[in-house]
Amino acid sequence: EKQPAVRFVWEALTMITSAARRLNRSWSRKNEWGLIHSSLPLPLRQQPQHYHHSSPTTQQPGQKRRLGDHARWNHGNISNNSRSGFESSSFRCYSSGGSIISNDGSLQTSWMNIYHDIVTTKTNDHGKKTPQRLTKTQWLQAVQFVLAMRLDQGDSTTTSITQEERLKYMFRVLNRLALELETTAASKPLPRLPGLEEGSLVALLVLLRNHVQNGEIAPRSMDDDDDDELSLRTIQKLIQRYIETGLFPPSNAYFNLLLQVVAAHLEASTTKDRDDFLAPHNSKIPQWAHDTIWQYMLMQKDTCHPDGATVYGMVELWAQVGEPQRALDYITQLEQWDSQYQTQGNSLEENPFLPIPNIYCALMEAYSRSKHYSPKDSRHEILDIWENKIQSTKLAHRDSTKLYARACHALAGCGQLDAAHNLLDDLCRRYEEDIVDNNISNDSELARHSLRPDRVLFTTLISAYGRAGRPQEAQRVFDTMDKMAQKNLLKDPDFLMYCELIWAYGRVGDTKSTKALLQRMIQTMEDDIDVEAAPSTRQEDVNNSDTTNTNSYQDWASAWNAVLVSWANSNDPHAPEYIRMMIKELEEMDRQNATKQNSGGKARQPLVTAYSYTILLHCYAQQGTIDSAKAAEELFAWMKQHQQKNDVTNDVSADEKHNASGNSMILDRNSYLNVILAWCRAGRPEKAEAHLENFCREVRENPNQHGIEPSSMTPPAPLLDVQHFTLILEAWAKSSNQSAATRATNVFGLMKEMNIAPNVVSYTSLLWAWAKTADKTRDSAGSIINIFQDMHHQWQDQGDEACKPNHIAYNALLSGLSRSSDPSALDTATKYFMQMEQMHDLKPSGFLYNTLMAAWSKRDRPDQTQALFDEMVQRYNNTRDPDLRPNSVVYRTLLRAWSKAGNPTQASAAMKDWIEAYQSRRIREAPSELEFSLVLQAWIKSSLDQAPDRAEQGLRQMMQFAQSGQFDCLPSVFTVTTVISAYARAAQTRPDAGQKAWDLFLLLEELGQIDQTLSNRTRGPKGRRRNGDEFEPNLLTGSQVIKALIHSPTPEVETRIQHVLETLFQVMRHRRGQKKSSSFRTELRSGHIFRNLKSSLKKSTLESRDDLIRLCHQIENVAE
């Protein structure tokens, strides 16, 4: 594959063999009308009628079509014997003429003249450009030009012709030949001339596919209809043109290869941003392939009928955009063709419709990438395909490591790592059992075993577990391979596996494990791997654990960086100090290595890179303090100073442009991001905004400035992107600053000035900034609506899928409108809520219902709250959508609405419904004391005569629930005080109000004893021991009891009031002695309740009122 001469000799031998076989009339094989023509069901076996031949006896049934039978000419006849002469002359001409590429990398002059003679056009009398008629010699030269251009790749170091230009040359010549056939076909039937065989177009499409897969060619969009451009639509039209003109024989192999080109183009356009390939607008590429390629093949079923390879190509396309249902349609059609083929008794070995395992592997990947299925449903579908399709005995080569690998990738892609791990364990078990049963010990036989797991599969699963934050499971995968290696069944874990495992522990901040693994890797691999070559390639995004930039080789700096990341993620307040110490130690090691290199030793790559300092920046940012933010600012300035020094000395060599540790100090997007993050975490968004403005000024002054290039295959990353701005928007949204919304709007405007497109996250952050200040800012509702409409416009009108509103954006919209003082804002919020499914294909969720319910509750509209709750329950009963299942939050909102409205009947009904849902296990969380107290408050606010009695009845029922262990709802002092207040308000009309209030006051001591008993009963890690203050009377409790007792006609009134005040005095002294801060002292400092208490005593007719007032003063002195 590297020597053009070798390839040409092989091509020549192929032509000689083909000529010999054509001369032997006894040789026959499948008809070349189509690769699967002879294998089609009988109704489909028909000879095409649109090919015209000069002799009706040219083609015999079952005989191979001869070279040139499909080419026609109008300048005389060429005998059949001249064909081999043509091929021989072509071979001689190409071999004698030398390479078609000259030494300077351009086309040879002679070949360039031939090319221009073929494609030259002339202007006719009407001013229209028409091509010159080709002579017989020019036809032969055109065929020879295509063959030579395809075979001679030239010297890759000197050639100036790109692969795209090479393909354009060949397509232009083929287009000229097809045009010649089109212009002469109408005159008369043409004699046969040497032409191009099926393999020539196949080889051309294979060349195109390989270049697209390697990233050397990027086909234009399918909407590009320029014949001189390599667009998908143009290539598809050219293939059909070549077939219809007879330039090439019809075959479905062309279209199968074209589908592979489309798949490679789609994959290349989606690997940069994996989220975008799930966007609906990218589904137009598979849809275009269906409408043009698939439908055309069905119409030309006699010659180009789809087969298994065609179905695999279409399934692969729909799998890349996450549409399993569309992919399943093709598989169903293929299975029908397979059943029809077998019904007619055809040979199974030649069955073109037999489903291959890769088709079902692509279907698994479609389920893995689909957004229409939950991870659980995707896992079920993938495992069902694996067990019932791929592992069926009907499929060939089902026992293959590659199939296991694709299935594991599909499961890992939808987050089902445990299922992928089980599949890997099954592969290892089957492999080990087969080795033992067949007594295989030879290394070569082990290496060729079809079920031998490879390192890539283990490494992929380790990396997936690491990104999911599950290093223990990643360790299990590593140990599995290590144990098999000890049995000589597999090779030892390699450097990359160690690195991925170290990074798995590093992402979760496990510093101990990362250091231990690094030491083990050094001891195991330092003598077995060349660590003194290859550049540092690992660039892990510390701000986003899902983003990495890795190469096949991982150096030692990557492993050390993983240890640094572990400290950065450890949440240790001393982590920056440890990272600085480690960097200093690594710099010293780099200096020693540099000294050895100057003495003639091998060159070692530095262990400290610019990325090492970026990790330290991120560690400062994670601390969340002002001091750490200042330290990050100073470190960034130092890094920037070193970068500017390197930029100034651009006349020196690359080796001299390094800092003290021998590393080029280049700032990237993460460096800028971490400075902003540090100030945002420290609660100073204004400082972060100031830095952002400086960064924007730098980018404007140096528009071509970029960060570190991740690899040679991808463009350099910009220094600023949407994440930098979104961080500050989120910080302003969380800020309590009065001007937070205005400042966030300024940041959003700056982002647009920098031509950085916002996404749904940045729009949502801006919405939250306005929502938090909606009750304090005028016309906030209008601003919120304008922001949301702008986001909707960017998605619907501009086609930006990154701006499509989601549930979180709607939650910010509804929250902001519900907090606005505009009376019509809540109606507008309800309108948006009702239209979200129609506008953005979003189904209402439970937390959005709760947002609206809470808003109507604050507006004293419990009827609207109940209506929304009933609607949500009805939708859940109809759809069984788990997102619509009522939970404790929704029930709590409903209870608050009816409690605030003073409707105990509806509040009791809501509580009863909640209890039934909990007991039937429809809700996990049981109602607590807070929710039960809402029902009591509903009775108290109802102003009914029996309200205090019903509230007390509910209070004692709460005690029964708590003592029986049904619910954790033992009443606290606040709940008891609520009921006492009800009796105090009814004291003037109810003579027994004082006695009732006194009994509840004494109940507090009993509740404390019950709580201690329950705590001893449930002692353990989940013990329910409460704070003792919850059952001690506070000032509000005492004042309400005294208020009820003052109006009581019982003779013990004064004694009971004195007891209440003495109890409050003892409680205050007890808390002051233990230095406890409580709401009791806060109430005394406010003085409002205490003044009302003394005023009530002064107005009373009690004989000992002076003594009682004096006791109140003592309580006040103790508090002071």
Side-chain angles (χ1 to χ4, degrees), residues 985-1110:
R985 285 195 293 270
Q988 295 182 355
T989 59
R990 291 192 55 171
D992 61 340
Q995 183 64 38
K996 293 285 188 179
W998 174 253
D999 294 339
L1000 291 175
F1001 181 80
L1002 298 179
L1003 184 64
L1004 288 173
E1005 184 177 357
E1006 181 181 353
L1007 289 173
Q1009 297 175 357
I1010 295 175
D1011 178 68
Q1012 185 176 2
T1013 303
L1014 294 176
S1015 300
N1016 296 333
R1017 186 189 308 170
T1018 59
R1019 193 181 297 271
K1022 296 184 179 180
R1024 56 167 307 283
R1025 178 63 179 172
R1026 291 184 176 182
N1027 187 356
D1029 295 346
E1030 294 187 14
F1031 304 100
E1032 293 180 349
N1034 54 34
L1035 182 58
L1036 180 60
T1037 308
S1039 63
Q1040 294 298 317
V1041 173
I1042 293 174
K1043 182 178 178 181
L1045 289 173
I1046 288 176
H1047 296 87
S1048 177
T1050 57
E1052 299 90 357
V1053 171
E1054 297 184 15
T1055 305
R1056 291 177 177 178
I1057 293 177
Q1058 184 177 0
H1059 176 75
V1060 171
L1061 291 176
E1062 290 176 352
T1063 302
L1064 294 178
F1065 181 78
Q1066 295 296 330
V1067 169
M1068 192 60 225
R1069 290 186 59 183
H1070 174 70
R1071 292 183 178 177
R1072 183 177 181 180
Q1074 294 186 351
K1075 298 182 180 181
K1076 289 185 179 181
S1077 61
S1078 66
S1079 59
F1080 182 55
R1081 298 185 65 186
T1082 304
E1083 292 170 317
L1084 283 175
R1085 283 194 296 269
S1086 64
H1088 175 69
I1089 299 177
F1090 197 78
R1091 285 193 298 271
N1092 291 339
L1093 175 60
K1094 291 189 292 183
S1095 175
S1096 299
L1097 290 174
K1098 290 179 181 179
K1099 295 179 181 179
S1100 66
T1101 59
L1102 300 176
E1103 296 180 359
S1104 59
R1105 61 182 181 181
D1106 295 336
D1107 296 335
L1108 297 176
I1109 293 175
R1110 192 179 304 108

Side-chain angles (χ1 to χ4, degrees), residues 273 276 279 757-761 763 791 795 799-805:
D273 191 349
D276 282 349
N759 55 22
V760 64
V761 180
Y763 273 109
M791 175 171 53
W795 169 71
D800 190 354
E801 284 296 320
C803 293
K804 181 180 180 181

Side-chain angles (χ1 to χ4, degrees), residues 51-72:
Y51 284 88
H52 304 283
H53 306 289
S54 58
S55 173
T57 61
T58 299
Q59 184 75 23
Q60 299 296 330
Q63 181 180 348
K64 173 177 169 55
R65 207 155 182 267
R66 294 174 293 181
L67 176 68
D69 283 350
H70 48 279
R72 298 166 290 185

Side-chain angles (χ1 to χ4, degrees), residues 343-360:
T343 303
Q344 296 179 357
N346 296 308
S347 174
L348 294 177
E349 296 180 357
E350 299 180 358
N351 184 4
F353 307 113
L354 184 64
I356 58 178
N358 279 332
I359 294 179
Y360 296 105

Side-chain angles (χ1 to χ4, degrees), residues 2-264:
K2 296 181 180 179
Q3 300 296 331
V6 176
R7 293 200 306 272
F8 177 74
V9 171
W10 176 258
E11 185 72 17
L13 291 175
T14 304
M15 290 190 297
I16 294 172
T17 304
S18 300
R21 287 178 175 175
R22 282 194 298 274
L23 293 176
N24 185 4
R25 299 301 182 187
S26 62
W27 177 76
S28 63
R29 65 179 181 89
K30 287 193 302 183
N31 193 298
E32 202 173 358
W33 296 110
L35 289 181
I36 63 169
H37 178 73
S38 63
S39 301
L40 291 176
L42 291 177
L44 302 180
R45 298 183 189 176
Q46 299 177 2
Q47 295 289 346
Q49 303 299 326
H50 61 278
Y51 284 88
H52 304 283
H53 306 289
S54 58
S55 173
T57 61
T58 299
Q59 184 75 23
Q60 299 296 330
Q63 181 180 348
K64 173 177 169 55
R65 207 155 182 267
R66 294 174 293 181
L67 176 68
D69 283 350
H70 48 279
R72 298 166 290 185
W73 192 251
N74 64 341
H75 288 291
N77 297 328
I78 293 181
S79 63
N80 294 337
N81 294 333
S82 67
R83 297 191 194 96
S84 60
F86 161 72
E87 293 176 354
S88 301
S89 63
S90 175
F91 174 73
R92 288 195 302 270
C93 177
Y94 180 62
S95 59
S96 61
S99 174
I100 192 172
I101 307 296
S102 61
N103 294 330
D104 62 354
S106 60
L107 279 178
Q108 293 278 10
T109 304
S110 58
W111 286 101
M112 182 60 72
N113 294 334
I114 293 174
Y115 169 76
H116 285 299
D117 291 341
I118 296 172
V119 300
T120 300
T121 60
K122 67 177 182 178
T123 305
N124 57 17
D125 298 336
H126 302 286
K128 184 178 180 180
K129 291 185 178 182
T130 59
Q132 297 280 0
R133 297 297 300 274
L134 295 182
T135 64
K136 178 173 57 177
T137 302
Q138 287 177 326
W139 177 280
L140 300 179
Q141 290 175 342
V143 175
Q144 187 177 358
F145 180 88
V146 174
L147 177 64
M149 182 64 74
R150 179 169 62 86
L151 294 177
D152 188 6
Q153 300 294 323
D155 188 358
S156 60
T157 60
T158 60
T159 179
S160 61
I161 300 179
T162 64
Q163 300 298 340
E164 185 172 357
E165 292 174 346
R166 181 188 301 275
L167 290 171
K168 286 183 179 181
Y169 276 126
M170 290 186 279
F171 275 116
R172 288 167 188 161
V173 173
L174 292 178
N175 292 344
R176 180 64 186 86
L177 297 181
L179 179 61
E180 186 69 26
L181 294 177
E182 290 174 345
T183 56
T184 59
S187 59
K188 60 180 179 179
L190 300 176
R192 297 174 302 280
L193 262 186
L196 297 169
E197 288 189 328
E198 172 190 323
S200 299
L201 185 55
V202 168
L204 181 60
L205 293 173
V206 169
L207 192 66
L208 174 62
R209 179 202 62 190
N210 295 340
H211 291 325
V212 173
Q213 290 177 345
N214 296 334
E216 300 171 355
I217 295 179
R220 308 300 187 271
S221 65
M222 59 190 178
D223 297 328
D224 193 347
D225 206 8
D226 188 358
D227 290 341
D228 198 41
E229 295 292 341
L230 292 180
S231 67
L232 300 178
R233 186 183 298 276
T234 300
I235 297 172
Q236 173 259 334
K237 288 185 176 182
L238 290 179
I239 294 175
Q240 296 182 13
R241 181 185 184 188
Y242 299 157
I243 294 176
E244 293 171 358
T245 58
L247 184 63
F248 289 100
S251 172
N252 58 5
Y254 313 141
F255 299 100
N256 294 341
L257 284 169
L258 179 58
L259 288 176
Q260 296 179 24
V261 173
V262 176

Side-chain angles (χ1 to χ4, degrees), residues 737-789:
N737 194 312
Q738 296 291 335
S739 60
T742 305
R743 299 291 294 270
T745 305
N746 295 337
V747 174
F748 195 83
L750 180 61
M751 177 169 56
K752 289 191 173 182
E753 290 179 8
M754 297 298 297
N755 294 325
I756 297 177
N759 55 22
V760 64
V761 180
S762 52
Y763 273 109
T764 304
S765 300
L766 183 59
L767 284 173
W768 276 118
W770 280 97
K772 294 293 182 63
T773 59
D775 55 342
K776 304 174 184 178
T777 308
R778 290 186 176 183
D779 197 26
S780 60
S783 300
I784 292 172
I785 293 174
N786 291 336
I787 295 170
F788 188 82
Q789 288 179 348

